[in-house]
Amino acid sequence: NNPALQPLNCFYSPHSKRRINLITDSINSGSLFGGVATSMILATLISDKWNCDIRIITRNESAQKQNFQKVLRANNIKEPENAEFVFVNCMDNNSELSVGDDEYYLTTSWWTTHSIIQSVDNSRVLYLIQEDERKFYPFGDELFLCSQLLHDNNIKFIVNSQLLYNYFLSEGFENFKNQGIWFEPSFPKSIFYYDTDIKREKKNFFFYARPSNTRNLFYLVVRVI
C-alpha cells in the first residue's frame, strides 16, 4: 500500500471560524518548485478573500515556515497574521489532523486529494491542477485512481492556465465545465523581467530536468544535446 494514498486521519475539534487548509507534501527547499509556490499564493489569496484562517498542512516533513514567508514577500503579497503550520505524517498512522465545522481544503496533487476525500466531504475540496498527473504513470492502479479522481463530480478543480483547462475538456473531462475554473499565472516584474543591458555574443541554453524523475526524459535530452 502507498502511504500517500491512505486516508488522512482526522478528529473533530471545534473551530470558531472558516478555514482554508493547504495540503501538500512539503514546502521545504528540496520541494519548493513553482507549483508549490503557486499553491501557497493561492491559499493566501483565498484566505484574504474569504477573511478566514489559513493552515498549511505538510505530509512528508515539517514545514520550513520561512519559505512560506519568502514566497509571499517575493510576490508582494501580504502575509496572513493567523497562518498555522501542521505536520501530519503520512508514514505514521497515529498522526492526526483536527478539523472543525467550516473547513475547506486546497489540495496540490491527486494523491493528497485522494487522501483527504476519504476523510471529509469532497465538495469542500479545491483541487489545484497544474499538469496532467496521469502522465506520471504507466498503465496500472495509480493511473486508474488518478483518472477516476479527475472525473469526480463534486470536487472543485482550479486549473493553472486556460490552455491546460481546454486540454482536459478535449480529453473528455466534461465535469470540468461545471466543477472547474482556470486562471493565468502572473509574475512580478521585480523578479522576472527582460534584462536589456546584458550583451552576449552567445546565448545561454537552459535545460531543466531531474534524473530521478523518468518523465522528465533527462537522459534522452542529454543525448540530444
Side-chain angles (χ1 to χ4, degrees), residues 151-216:
H151 281 289
D152 191 287
N153 288 315
N154 292 314
I155 295 172
K156 310 297 190 302
F157 299 96
I158 304 176
V159 186
N160 189 337
S161 80
Q162 185 179 18
L163 180 66
L164 184 59
Y165 175 84
N166 290 337
Y167 162 78
F168 277 108
L169 293 183
S170 71
E171 288 284 300
F173 292 93
E174 292 295 317
N175 56 318
F176 277 47
K177 290 182 179 179
N178 295 323
Q179 295 296 113
I181 60 172
W182 56 267
F183 67 93
E184 293 295 344
S186 62
F187 307 94
K189 292 182 179 179
S190 59
I191 300 178
F192 301 99
Y193 57 91
Y194 289 108
D195 192 342
T196 56
D197 295 331
I198 296 179
K199 306 296 182 182
R200 292 194 181 99
E201 295 182 0
K202 293 183 178 180
K203 294 183 177 180
N204 286 334
F205 175 72
F206 179 79
F207 165 50
Y208 168 77
R210 291 167 288 174
S212 58
N213 288 291
T214 55
R215 65 181 181 273
N216 288 164

Side-chain angles (χ1 to χ4, degrees), residues 22 24 26-27 31-42 71 106-109 128-131 160 183 187 208:
L22 170 62
T24 191
S26 171
I27 65 169
S31 305
L32 193 58
F33 302 107
V36 175
T38 299
S39 70
M40 291 192 289
I41 291 170
L42 179 59
V71 167
L106 177 64
T107 58
T108 53
S109 62
L128 174 60
I129 299 179
Q130 307 193 72
E131 55 195 322
N160 189 337
F183 67 93
F187 307 94
Y208 168 77

